[in-house]
């Protein structure tokens, strides 16, 4: 079959008498027949097979060899070097590059830490084909000569954010800083849940229980529609209502970790430069990148009237300020010094335009310097004027340009660096030295102490294996690979809010910590290190009880954070709805415990085999929440045996449901109840993939492998936040 037989979308036109044998489209997946199957794919995304670099390539080391000054000069030059294939508004690409950086970073949400700019995910579907990201494929292609020149020394992920910073600097803003060090991914982040809708830009009711109560937006979502970063610029569901829009702006930005002042600064600062594009008929545009024809080569929204009408992107048309390529206070002057009325753009979108404005205050047309056109405001802009809280903030900004610039620069830095982890990970010459509370600062810990002395005191403390495993696990389990927050470093399990979480058994935790704090004080070790040592020692003792001698290696130097270093509201987002590894569920999630287990494992950076061996080990160690005995399929609790898997896969046993999420294991012959279980226990026997791992660890010749593999995964979790 030749390409001559294929249509524009690569589909056979019927002339070919056979089909190829591989399943190469989502619709032909052999697993679509079993939709209730627990999907483990997110645990295996970004496999080394998708990465074109050699295994020894380390971007975070490679970028340190970059000529930072040369790259940044080239980026400055790019801003004002128009290309014939894509016009630059007023001869400056700054507005486009800022929008690209914002939309790369702005998908971040505090609930699960997913999204954000840290991976360069904007290159891939669905983000590259969202309506809100229209024509950002052009922005990336404008940077291709620079990416090509500097190659492996600069990632797309870093370039996206650097472009926004350089754009603002070239327009007159003193930025707060920038860090390199975001490695690229090579496939979409399939772990990110973008919403329940089956169509882009479906009505907001699809993701709100009550559209009038913005807090009912489905968690963890951070936008009013799938296909938008935050809110519809025309108003909620495309109906202008600035006061209602204000409520939705407040909620969506809060879910992106921004307070009211930061939200107002970002809204104003984002619209101080650049313009919206809607000077034409949107129906004439080509398909989005993922839906376009093969000859479009990844470009999307191709506009046949580009030369005549200019770009069409949002549908709104116009600039917000008199001087859209200058960082100034023009946004507030324009917003507050004019009355505004609803108008329709040439593309048919609702926008606000001034009732009366002097000709000299109108911005010059982006393509024709001899023409001035009305400025515009979106519904979100009008919210800044009409909502009393935002209004007060914006009037303060209006009267103090320096204060506005500093507030915006800090908020922009937070927006673009929120998912990079602690400041110790920052790379390059331009990041700020100031400690910021949203960076979750942790002081350096002492390394000069006697680990054996700590171990001896823990051994004689009276703390059980279960006590020690539980406190170490609870300290480390908050880590999220999504935004590199949480983990054992900082010992924040001893601080609010973590010390009071139900998942952490507050009463038991308090008793355990009081003992470990004394040991830490007596030995000079940090509490954070002491907690991890306690867990490591428990694992070693459990392995010895199973007949194996192992040493769980410690990385010294964790520090202890203070309550003042801890943003309580921010850390509340790390509170788990369930902890499968301790067989606990709050019952507050509509997702099944098994689904929450996979989500938890993915955020911890575990593969499916690692998740399996970790859970089986935690069960026999007796690390369940409070007195829950579900899943402890052993008569030797506290010994690191493979009994969980042996008894789970034993055909002499039967499983019987008692009530929702409660099961009993009975002897097949006698009917005697031997053990109880939850659904997260039984899924390792019912799911064919997980059962394959369970059977592996149940083998007689893999008892030692089980111990060694558990130790490796345990160490991985304990050290996850050491960078």
């Amino acid at each position: 079959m030749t390409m001559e037989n294929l249509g524009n979308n690569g589909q056979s036109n019927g002339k070919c008498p056979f089909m190829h044998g591989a399943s190469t489209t989502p619709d032909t997946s052999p697993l679509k027949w079993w939709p209730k199957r627990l999907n483990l794919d997110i645990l295996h995304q970004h496999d080394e097979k998708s990465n074109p670099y050699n295994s020894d390539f380390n971007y975070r080391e490679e970028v340190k060899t970059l000529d930072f000054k040369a790259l940044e000069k080239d980026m400055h030059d790019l801003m004002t070097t128009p290309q014939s294939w894509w016009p630059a508004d007023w001869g400056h690409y700054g507005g486009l590059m800022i929008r690209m950086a914002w939309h790369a970073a702005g998908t971040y949400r505090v609930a699960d830490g997913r999204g954000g700019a840290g991976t360069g995910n904007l290159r891939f579907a669905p983000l590259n084909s969202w309506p809100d990201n229209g024509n950002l494929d052009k922005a990336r292609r404008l940077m291709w000569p620079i990416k090509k020149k500097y190659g492996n020394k600069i990632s797309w992920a870093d370039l996206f954010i650097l472009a926004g910073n350089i754009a603002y600097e070239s327009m007159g803003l003193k930025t707060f800083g920038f860090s390199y060090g975001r490695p690229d991914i090579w496939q979409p982040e399939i772990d990110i849940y973008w919403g329940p809708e089956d169509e882009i830009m479906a009505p907001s009711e699809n993701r709100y229980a009550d559209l009038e109560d913005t807090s009912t937006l489905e968690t963890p979502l951070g936008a009013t529609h799938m296909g938008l970063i935050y809110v519809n610029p025309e108003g909620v569901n495309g109906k202008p209502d600035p006061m209602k829009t204000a409520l939705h702006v407040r909620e969506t930005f809060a879910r992106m970790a921004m307070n009211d002042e930061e939200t107002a600064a970002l809204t104003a600062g984002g619209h101080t430069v650049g313009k919206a594009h809607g000077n034409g008929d949107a129906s004439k545009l080509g398909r989005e990148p993922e839906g376009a024809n093969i000859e479009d080569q990844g470009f999307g929204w191709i506009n046949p009237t580009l030369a005549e009408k200019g770009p069409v992107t949002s549908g709104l048309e116009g600039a917000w300020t008199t001087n859209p390529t200058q960082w100034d206070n023009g946004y507030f002057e324009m917003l507050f010094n004019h009355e505004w009325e609803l108008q329709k753009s040439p593309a048919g979108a609702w926008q606000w335009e001034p009732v009366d404005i002097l000709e000299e205050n109108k911005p010059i047309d982006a393509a024709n310097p001899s023409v001035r056109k009305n400025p515009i405001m979106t519904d979100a802009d009008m919210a800044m004027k009409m909502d009393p809280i935002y209004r007060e903030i914006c009037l303060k900004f209006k009267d103090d340009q320096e204060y506005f610039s500093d507030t915006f620069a800090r908020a922009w830095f937070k927006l673009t660096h929120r998912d990079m982890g602690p400041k110790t990970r920052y790379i390059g010459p331009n990041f700020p030295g100031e400690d910021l509370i949203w960076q979750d600062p942790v002081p350096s810990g002492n390394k000069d102490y006697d680990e054996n002395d700590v171990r001896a005191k823990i051994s004689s403390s009276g703390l059980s294996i279960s006590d020690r495993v539980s406190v170490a696990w609870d300290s480390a389990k908050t880590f999220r690979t999504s935004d590199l927050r949480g983990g054992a470093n900082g010992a924040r399990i001893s601080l609010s809010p973590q010390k009071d979480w139900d998942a952490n058994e507050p009463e038991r935790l308090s008793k355990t910590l009081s003992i470990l704090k004394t040991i830490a004080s007596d030995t000079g070790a940090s509490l954070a290190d002491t907690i991890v040592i306690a867990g490591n020692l428990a694992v070693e003792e459990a392995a010895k009880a199973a007949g194996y001698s192992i040493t769980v290696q410690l990385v010294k130097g964790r520090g202890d954070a203070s309550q003042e270093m801890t943003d309580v509201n921010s850390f509340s987002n790390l509170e788990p709805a369930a902890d499968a590894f301790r067989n606990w569920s709050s019952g507050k999630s509509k997702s099944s415990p098994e689904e929450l287990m996979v989500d938890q494992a993915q955020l911890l950076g575990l593969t499916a085999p690692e998740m399996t061996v970790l859970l089986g080990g935690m069960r026999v160690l007796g690390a369940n929440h409070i007195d829950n005995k579900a899943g402890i399929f052993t008569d030797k609790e506290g010994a690191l045996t493979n009994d969980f898997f042996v008894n789970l896969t034993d055909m002499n046993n039967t499983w019987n449901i008692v009530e929702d999420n409660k099961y009993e294991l009975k002897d097949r012959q006698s009917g005697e109840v031997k053990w109880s279980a939850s659904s997260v226990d039984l899924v390792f026997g019912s799911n064919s993939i997980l059962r394959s791992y369970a059977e592996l660890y149940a083998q007689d010749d893999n008892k030692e492998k089980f111990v060694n593999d558990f130790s490796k995964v345990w160490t991985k979790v304990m050290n996850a936040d050491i960078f």
Side-chain angles (χ1 to χ4, degrees):
M1 182 168 59
T2 68
M3 289 302 295
E4 292 176 345
N5 296 327
L6 299 180
N8 286 335
N9 294 317
Q11 299 296 315
S12 174
N13 62 13
K15 295 181 180 181
C16 185
F18 62 89
M19 290 290 291
H20 62 285
S23 176
T24 55
T25 66
D27 289 341
T28 60
S29 168
L31 301 178
K32 70 174 184 175
W33 296 99
W34 301 281
K36 292 185 178 181
R37 177 185 73 97
L38 186 64
N39 192 341
L40 305 175
D41 290 352
I42 66 171
L43 303 181
H44 307 135
Q45 66 178 352
H46 314 314
D47 182 81
E48 64 180 14
K49 290 181 179 179
S50 68
N51 191 335
Y53 287 120
N54 296 331
S55 59
D56 60 350
F57 177 80
N58 185 325
Y59 172 69
R60 288 183 51 81
E61 292 301 318
E62 187 75 14
V63 74
K64 295 175 183 177
T65 68
L66 177 67
D67 187 337
F68 300 110
K69 288 186 177 180
L71 170 63
E72 290 167 19
K73 181 183 183 302
D74 285 348
M75 291 293 288
H76 271 280
D77 293 342
L78 170 69
M79 298 297 157
T80 53
T81 308
Q83 302 296 322
S84 59
W85 59 268
W86 191 253
D89 297 330
W90 307 283
H92 202 301
Y93 287 116
L96 177 65
M97 297 299 174
I98 288 165
R99 179 168 154 261
M100 176 182 63
W102 187 311
H103 286 219
T107 54
Y108 175 82
R109 66 268 185 117
V110 293
D112 59 4
R114 294 186 172 101
T119 61
N121 195 33
L122 188 64
R123 293 190 291 162
F124 305 116
L127 295 185
N128 72 340
S129 295
W130 273 2
D132 217 11
N133 292 336
N135 292 322
L136 292 183
D137 56 305
K138 316 299 194 303
R140 189 175 78 85
R141 299 295 179 93
L142 286 166
M143 294 195 298
W144 169 240
I146 291 177
K147 170 60 176 161
K148 183 174 181 292
K149 175 181 178 181
Y150 291 94
N152 299 332
K153 296 181 185 295
I154 186 68
S155 67
W156 278 114
D158 275 346
L159 272 178
F160 289 154
I161 305 305
L162 180 63
N165 262 42
I166 298 294
Y168 271 120
E169 290 174 3
S170 70
M171 293 180 175
L173 173 70
K174 182 182 179 183
T175 58
F176 189 66
F178 174 81
S179 172
Y180 295 86
R182 304 166 181 82
D184 283 331
I185 56 174
W186 298 94
Q187 60 185 114
E189 291 172 316
I190 60 175
D191 59 299
I192 302 179
Y193 170 68
W194 295 119
E197 308 97 316
D198 56 9
E199 64 177 305
I200 296 291
M201 295 295 293
S204 295
E205 286 83 354
N206 284 269
R207 49 182 56 199
Y208 288 86
D210 180 358
L211 201 56
E212 302 300 317
D213 180 2
T214 58
S215 67
T216 64
L217 176 63
E218 183 181 350
T219 302
L221 303 178
T224 59
H225 305 263
M226 183 192 295
L228 291 182
I229 303 300
Y230 305 116
V231 300
N232 193 324
E234 296 185 74
V236 178
N237 277 340
K239 300 175 182 176
D241 185 343
M243 290 302 291
K244 180 181 284 189
T245 293
L247 298 176
H248 286 265
V249 168
R250 180 166 286 114
E251 180 66 29
T252 56
F253 272 66
R255 293 183 174 215
M256 200 257 298
M258 298 296 171
N259 60 29
D260 282 338
E261 187 175 60
E262 291 166 329
T263 300
L266 285 169
T267 302
H271 292 169
T272 292
V273 297
K275 70 181 290 287
H277 301 85
N279 192 29
D281 186 354
S283 68
K284 295 181 179 180
L285 298 179
R287 291 286 305 276
E288 68 277 9
E290 291 297 313
N293 293 337
I294 197 169
E295 65 267 22
D296 293 339
Q297 289 292 282
F299 268 166
W301 301 284
I302 291 177
N303 183 3
T305 64
L306 180 66
E308 177 188 358
K309 297 287 188 179
V312 177
T313 301
S314 68
L316 284 73
E317 171 60 29
W320 291 266
T321 67
T322 307
N323 301 301
T325 61
Q326 296 177 24
W327 179 261
D328 56 24
N329 235 28
Y331 175 87
F332 303 110
E333 299 292 334
M334 191 68 74
L335 182 64
F336 288 104
N337 292 348
H338 298 88
E339 296 299 318
W340 300 82
E341 61 183 358
L342 280 170
Q343 298 285 349
K344 282 288 186 77
S345 74
W350 284 116
Q351 59 189 40
W352 295 82
E353 297 186 24
V355 175
D356 187 33
I357 185 172
L358 297 174
E359 187 70 16
E360 60 263 30
N361 289 337
K362 295 180 180 179
I364 293 171
D365 182 75
N368 186 353
S370 65
V371 176
R372 290 182 180 269
K373 292 186 175 179
N374 266 352
I376 62 111
M377 294 287 163
T378 71
D379 219 52
D381 295 310
M382 295 305 297
M384 298 298 113
K385 183 175 184 176
M386 299 178 69
D387 178 269
I389 298 173
Y390 288 141
R391 181 182 179 90
E392 182 180 353
I393 295 169
C394 287
L395 286 172
K396 185 178 180 180
F397 288 156
K398 180 175 180 291
D399 294 336
D400 192 338
Q401 166 70 6
E402 185 175 346
Y403 179 70
F404 164 57
S405 296
D406 181 68
T407 304
F408 172 81
R410 289 170 174 271
W412 175 259
F413 181 79
K414 180 179 177 180
L415 167 74
T416 53
H417 292 74
R418 189 70 172 88
D419 62 342
M420 282 201 71
K423 193 172 69 174
T424 54
R425 297 187 75 252
Y426 290 1
I427 294 171
N430 301 321
F431 62 84
E434 183 178 340
D435 287 329
L436 306 166
I437 193 167
W438 59 263
Q439 297 171 324
D440 303 337
V442 176
S444 298
N446 178 30
K447 296 181 180 179
D448 189 20
Y449 62 87
D450 187 344
E451 183 184 346
N452 290 327
D453 186 25
V454 179
R455 284 169 164 260
K457 285 181 167 58
I458 292 172
S459 293
S460 60
S461 67
L463 292 172
S464 68
I465 285 177
S466 176
D467 290 334
R468 287 176 276 155
V469 168
S470 296
V471 71
W473 172 259
D474 288 341
S475 179
K477 73 183 178 188
T478 55
F479 180 72
R480 309 192 301 196
T481 56
S482 54
D483 57 359
L484 307 179
R485 300 189 68 213
N489 194 14
R492 285 192 166 92
I493 194 172
S494 67
L495 307 173
S496 293
Q498 293 185 41
K499 67 181 181 64
D500 300 315
W501 289 349
D502 288 344
N504 294 344
E505 297 183 74
E507 185 175 347
R508 180 189 188 186
L509 175 64
S510 177
K511 294 177 181 177
T512 303
L513 285 178
S514 66
I515 295 171
L516 295 179
K517 285 178 180 178
T518 300
I519 294 172
S521 177
D522 291 346
T523 59
S526 66
L527 176 60
D529 269 359
T530 303
I531 290 171
V532 173
I533 293 171
N536 290 355
L537 183 59
V539 171
E540 293 175 6
E541 291 175 4
K544 186 177 182 180
Y548 300 98
S549 178
I550 63 170
T551 300
V552 183
Q553 294 296 327
L554 172 73
V555 177
K556 287 184 173 182
R558 295 171 184 80
D560 295 334
S562 66
Q563 194 65 63
E564 291 72 31
M565 296 174 180
T566 303
D567 184 348
V568 172
N569 289 333
S570 178
F571 270 94
S572 66
N573 290 290
L574 275 65
E575 182 176 3
D579 181 2
F581 299 95
R582 296 196 64 200
N583 225 342
W584 172 84
S585 175
S586 66
K588 297 178 180 179
S589 176
K590 67 180 184 180
S591 299
S592 71
E594 312 89 87
E595 292 169 329
L596 293 174
M597 173 181 66
V598 174
D599 179 76
Q600 181 184 12
Q602 194 276 331
L603 286 174
L604 283 169
L606 305 180
T607 65
E610 289 173 334
M611 177 181 75
T612 303
V613 74
L614 181 61
L615 185 134
M618 292 288 283
R619 290 292 186 272
V620 297
L621 291 174
N624 277 6
H625 190 265
I626 307 183
D627 296 321
N628 179 15
K629 295 298 182 180
I632 304 178
F633 310 150
T634 182
D635 298 323
K636 302 184 290 291
E637 184 178 333
L640 194 56
T641 67
N642 66 340
D643 286 359
F644 175 86
F645 303 109
V646 170
N647 290 306
L648 178 68
T649 58
D650 189 345
M651 305 311 167
N652 293 312
N653 299 322
T654 64
W655 291 102
N656 307 270
I657 187 166
V658 178
E659 57 187 61
D660 186 42
N661 199 30
K662 185 177 181 180
Y663 303 82
E664 289 179 342
L665 182 151
K666 297 181 179 180
D667 182 271
R668 189 178 293 276
Q669 297 300 320
S670 69
E672 176 190 358
V673 176
K674 299 173 70 175
W675 292 293
S676 63
S678 70
S679 59
V680 295
D681 300 312
L682 295 195
V683 77
F684 289 90
S686 66
N687 180 277
S688 60
I689 297 173
L690 294 180
R691 188 176 184 92
S692 72
Y693 301 135
E695 290 171 347
L696 173 79
Y697 286 116
Q699 292 174 190
D700 292 346
D701 62 348
N702 278 337
K703 293 179 180 180
E704 186 172 8
K705 174 179 172 59
F706 164 73
V707 171
N708 290 331
D709 287 1
F710 178 86
S711 175
K712 289 177 183 177
V713 181
W714 173 268
T715 303
K716 177 178 178 176
V717 174
M718 292 300 118
N719 295 343
D721 63 339
I722 295 179
F723 305 107

